[in-house]
């Protein structure tokens, strides 16, 4: 179960008192749980907002509700509030929310997928792009498919060779090649079209 420090409880009491709503509580849920983008969301919750299957923590005067689907992801989480020079900072440490990083003995595909999710896709998302793992075979060949703004982008090959391949090989020396399986001719909204103009990473 989640551990909530006394200072965090006092902080929540202060916030709830400002709302002046009877029986108002705090709900905590995990979003994107089990992925590198996992995060916690805290929100006010009235009785009508609850589904009834939440886990509840009685905090001496108010309730903290944990969304049922988030309970396992938030196991052993700690909520704390620390006063500092600019006011204070609420922190939530949830050691299980992102799931586990694949170990060295995990299949290459699982390890590649984790790096795609945690490092590569967040970078190319700035250009509306994404990349998906198609296959990582026993010979160390990784086959990827581009989507979004990278689908049909004139700079996709540069992104693949100078960005993605370098990143993956730095993590996994057993990779022998990284190849693009995308039919770029069918791209409908590329970030950069070939044939002149200002280039941008696809």
């Amino acid at each position: 179960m989640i551990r909530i420090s006394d200072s965090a409880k006092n902080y929540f009491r202060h916030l709830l008192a400002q709302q002046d709503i009877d029986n108002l509580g705090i709900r905590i849920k995990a979003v994107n749980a089990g992925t590198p983008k996992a995060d916690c969301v805290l929100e006010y919750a009235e009785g009508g907002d609850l589904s009834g299957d939440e886990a509840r923590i009685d905090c001496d005067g108010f309730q903290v509700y944990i969304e049922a689907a988030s309970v396992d992801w938030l196991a052993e989480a700690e909520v704390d509030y620390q006063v500092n020079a600019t006011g204070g900072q609420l922190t939530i440490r949830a050691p299980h929310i992102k799931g586990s990083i694949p170990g060295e003995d995990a299949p290459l595909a699982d390890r590649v997928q984790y790096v795609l999710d945690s490092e590569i896709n967040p970078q190319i998302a700035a250009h509306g792009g994404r990349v998906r793992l198609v296959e990582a075979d026993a010979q160390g060949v990784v086959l990827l498919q581009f989507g979004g703004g990278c689908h049909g982008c004139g700079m996709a090959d540069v992104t693949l060779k100078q960005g993605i391949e370098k990143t993956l090989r730095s993590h996994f020396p057993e990779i022998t090649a990284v190849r693009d399986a995308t039919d770029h001719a069918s791209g409908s909204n590329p970030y950069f079209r070939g044939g002149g103009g200002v280039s941008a990473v696809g």
Side-chain angles (χ1 to χ4, degrees):
M1 188 59 75
I2 291 177
R3 188 186 74 80
I4 304 174
S5 70
D6 289 341
S7 60
K9 290 177 183 177
N10 289 334
Y11 176 66
F12 288 147
R13 283 191 193 95
H14 173 70
L15 292 178
L16 293 167
Q18 289 181 324
Q19 302 306 309
D20 195 26
I21 299 174
D22 289 340
N23 299 318
L24 187 66
I26 301 288
R27 177 166 51 194
I28 302 177
K29 62 182 178 181
V31 294
N32 299 315
T35 76
K37 296 190 291 185
D39 201 358
C40 284
V41 172
L42 280 78
E43 55 194 11
Y44 296 117
E46 297 183 70
D49 300 328
L50 302 171
S51 60
D53 59 354
E54 294 87 357
R56 299 183 181 208
I57 302 173
D58 187 353
C59 294
D60 301 324
F62 69 95
Q63 300 283 325
V64 170
Y65 304 95
I66 306 167
E67 181 188 57
S70 301
V71 168
D72 289 343
W73 297 110
L74 297 177
E76 301 179 9
E78 298 181 0
V79 182
D80 191 22
Y81 182 79
Q82 295 189 350
V83 177
N84 56 38
T86 59
Q89 177 71 43
L90 183 73
T91 59
I92 302 175
R93 289 184 60 255
H96 305 296
I97 194 171
K98 294 184 179 181
S100 57
I101 299 173
E104 293 182 8
D105 57 343
L108 178 61
D110 292 351
R111 292 179 284 138
V112 167
Q113 186 64 61
Y114 187 86
V115 173
L116 291 177
D117 290 340
S118 61
E119 296 184 32
I120 292 170
N121 275 324
Q123 292 180 20
I124 62 177
H127 302 140
R130 62 185 179 277
V131 66
R132 180 179 69 83
L133 176 65
V134 175
E135 182 184 21
D137 67 22
Q139 287 71 47
V141 177
V142 173
L143 198 59
L144 302 175
Q145 186 167 33
F146 287 94
C150 289
H151 185 189
C153 179
M155 297 296 287
D157 189 57
V158 175
T159 300
L160 180 72
K161 294 299 180 187
Q162 296 184 11
I164 297 172
E165 184 169 0
K166 280 186 177 180
T167 299
L168 291 177
R169 284 184 175 233
S170 71
H171 285 283
F172 314 116
E174 65 266 39
I175 290 178
T176 57
V178 179
R179 297 178 182 156
D180 185 358
T182 314
D183 175 13
H184 284 287
S186 65
S188 60
N189 188 28
Y191 184 70
F192 170 72
R193 296 181 187 275
V198 178
S199 64
V201 175

